[in-house]
Amino acid sequence: MNNFSQKIISWYEVSGRKNLPWQVEDPYKIWLSEIMLQQTQVKTVIPYFENFTSKFPNIESLAKTSLDDVLSLWSGLGYYSRAKNIHKTAIILEKDFNCSLPDTLEDLMTLPGIGFSTAGAILSLGFKKPGVILDGNVKRVLLRMSGNKSPMNQYKTEKSLKEFAKILLPSTKHKQYSQGLMDLGATICKPKNPECNMCPVVIDCSANEKEIQNEIPVKINKIEKKEKIIEWVLIKTKTEVLLKRNKESGIWQNLWLLPEKKILSLKKIINLDPIEEDFPSFVHQLSHKKLLISLKIYTIKNKDRLPINRSLFNWVNISDSVNMGVPKPVKEILNKI
């Protein structure tokens, strides 16, 4: 591994990405971007990041806002536990760290939603200190470099990669090295058909030498997704729509959803006017589940005639509803009506 880190740094300075909105001297923005980029592509994250940091430019503003405000800006980005952890962490940072992110691995990893790799990113990109990043792009580069055909999503593989990555850390220019390693995986050492002829460390790559780069990384086949049937009803007046706060645990906890079909007892239905043309059924894919969603639409002239639990349900202006903390499939439905 002759001068591996120096080759990465030199390549980054010429060919790396330098125009991403979070590439600034601000650990707060580095932290936000790293959380948003978990399981999410850069092009998807950019508009969310810009909108989020415009509303909450620093830790103090984020700590003082409500979870509802955070979830509303996160709506559509998915994996909502990330938004909840960001809000929790901001409150802790205000209380215990004077509205600043700590600059040690140990302190960072005590905060909600920050694991070893995210802490490494904050250290190297935000504080220019040594830090190991193990996102998907970096893992792929390191597995190919070492010719490691162990399953990528196995605990023992991650453990060995962590040790390998520590050995490769440079003594200086930690930010350039970490960003360069991520960029190399994103733009050159791609999952399929990597452009090995453009790689600055191809001479060190065991997978290239053995011509097995398209066989790495190896992944264990995931269990087939379970299907879940969701039957929603959309009840609206001329200007308002009925939404329900989801108090149940799970990915959509604390978000606003459409009421489920079971809300419609016979007594309630007589106050509603069904719209003959139903909304077409559709499938929404989650990482672990396939949601089969159907929808019936009803109108009501006098919303006060519909008995509802005011602690769970709320009438919301239709134009405002799309800006609330709602999951992506609900947002798509509301946008269409």
Side-chain angles (χ1 to χ4, degrees):
M1 304 299 294
N2 183 30
N3 297 323
F4 175 83
S5 61
Q6 185 54 52
K7 292 175 184 176
I8 295 293
I9 292 166
S10 298
W11 174 84
Y12 169 74
E13 289 175 343
V14 175
S15 304
R17 297 177 294 185
K18 302 179 184 69
N19 60 347
L20 299 173
W22 44 82
Q23 290 178 317
V24 292
E25 302 289 328
D26 187 347
Y28 167 67
K29 291 184 177 179
I30 299 295
W31 162 55
L32 286 181
S33 68
E34 286 300 316
I35 300 296
M36 288 183 168
L37 287 164
Q38 292 170 1
Q39 307 289 326
T40 312
Q41 294 182 340
V42 167
K43 64 181 180 181
T44 302
V45 167
I46 288 175
Y48 280 91
F49 175 84
E50 291 177 334
N51 193 25
F52 200 94
T53 52
S54 174
K55 182 77 179 288
F56 307 120
N58 50 44
I59 290 168
E60 184 178 10
S61 59
L62 180 55
K64 292 188 182 307
T65 195
S66 67
L67 178 58
D68 274 344
D69 283 343
V70 174
L71 289 172
S72 70
L73 291 181
W74 205 274
S75 180
L77 195 57
Y79 300 98
Y80 293 93
S81 61
R82 297 181 296 174
K84 296 168 194 172
N85 284 333
I86 279 177
H87 189 243
K88 285 180 189 175
T89 294
I91 293 170
I92 294 170
L93 294 176
E94 182 187 44
K95 179 175 178 288
D96 299 333
F97 293 92
N98 195 29
C99 284
S100 297
L101 280 154
D103 62 354
T104 68
L105 182 70
E106 295 73 22
D107 282 341
L108 284 168
M109 288 183 64
T110 65
L111 299 169
I114 297 182
F116 178 80
S117 179
T118 302
I122 295 169
L123 287 174
S124 59
L125 303 176
F127 293 103
K128 300 180 181 179
K129 290 187 171 187
V132 170
I133 298 178
L134 282 177
D135 71 356
N137 289 321
V138 173
K139 286 181 182 178
R140 186 168 58 255
V141 171
L142 298 183
L143 286 169
R144 285 175 174 162
M145 293 303 301
S146 57
N148 190 341
K149 296 181 79 171
S150 301
M152 184 181 188
N153 45 351
Q154 250 183 11
Y155 170 74
K156 65 178 183 180
T157 305
E158 181 140 348
K159 187 177 179 182
S160 67
L161 282 177
K162 189 183 295 185
E163 297 307 313
F164 184 40
K166 287 179 182 177
I167 294 169
L168 298 175
L169 284 176
S171 56
T172 60
K173 295 191 175 182
H174 306 294
K175 181 175 182 176
Q176 293 91 326
Y177 172 71
S178 292
Q179 189 63 58
L181 202 52
M182 290 190 292
D183 289 356
L184 183 67
T187 63
I188 302 295
C189 194
K190 296 178 285 191
K192 294 181 180 178
N193 303 315
E195 299 177 35
C196 299
N197 61 318
M198 298 179 66
C199 178
V201 289
V202 65
I203 194 172
D204 304 310
C205 183
S206 179
N208 180 72
E209 182 184 355
K210 298 173 183 177
E211 298 184 349
I212 57 172
Q213 55 267 58
N214 280 317
E215 299 174 27
I216 298 175
V218 175
K219 287 188 177 181
I220 299 174
N221 290 331
K222 292 184 178 179
I223 300 171
E224 188 174 346
K225 291 182 182 180
K226 292 182 179 179
E227 293 185 350
K228 180 179 179 180
I229 295 173
I230 295 180
E231 296 178 309
W232 279 331
V233 292
L234 191 150
I235 304 172
K236 65 186 185 77
T237 65
K238 284 185 177 181
T239 58
E240 294 180 307
V241 63
L242 186 66
L243 296 180
K244 177 188 177 185
R245 171 78 85 175
N246 181 29
K247 296 292 187 181
E248 298 175 9
S249 61
I251 57 165
W252 289 342
Q253 187 178 24
N254 294 323
L255 297 180
W256 290 95
L257 305 177
L258 293 170
E260 294 179 1
K261 184 180 178 181
K262 60 187 178 184
I263 186 182
L264 298 177
S265 65
L266 288 176
K267 183 179 178 182
K268 292 177 182 177
I269 285 179
I270 60 172
N271 294 315
L272 302 174
D273 297 316
I275 292 181
E276 291 184 7
E277 186 177 343
D278 288 337
F279 195 94
S281 299
F282 63 100
V283 176
H284 181 70
Q285 300 280 0
L286 299 175
S287 59
H288 61 297
K289 198 173 290 185
K290 182 190 293 186
L291 306 181
L292 309 177
I293 300 173
S294 63
L295 179 73
K296 285 189 175 294
I297 302 175
Y298 295 87
T299 60
I300 187 168
K301 293 176 182 177
N302 182 359
K303 66 183 184 183
D304 294 330
R305 294 183 62 192
L306 186 69
I308 56 173
N309 181 345
R310 295 288 177 179
S311 66
L312 290 178
F313 295 90
N314 199 15
W315 287 100
V316 181
N317 188 283
I318 293 174
S319 60
D320 292 337
S321 64
V322 294
N323 297 317
M324 295 175 62
V326 296
K328 187 175 181 179
V330 174
K331 191 167 191 174
E332 290 176 353
I333 291 169
L334 293 172
N335 274 322
K336 287 182 179 178
I337 67 161

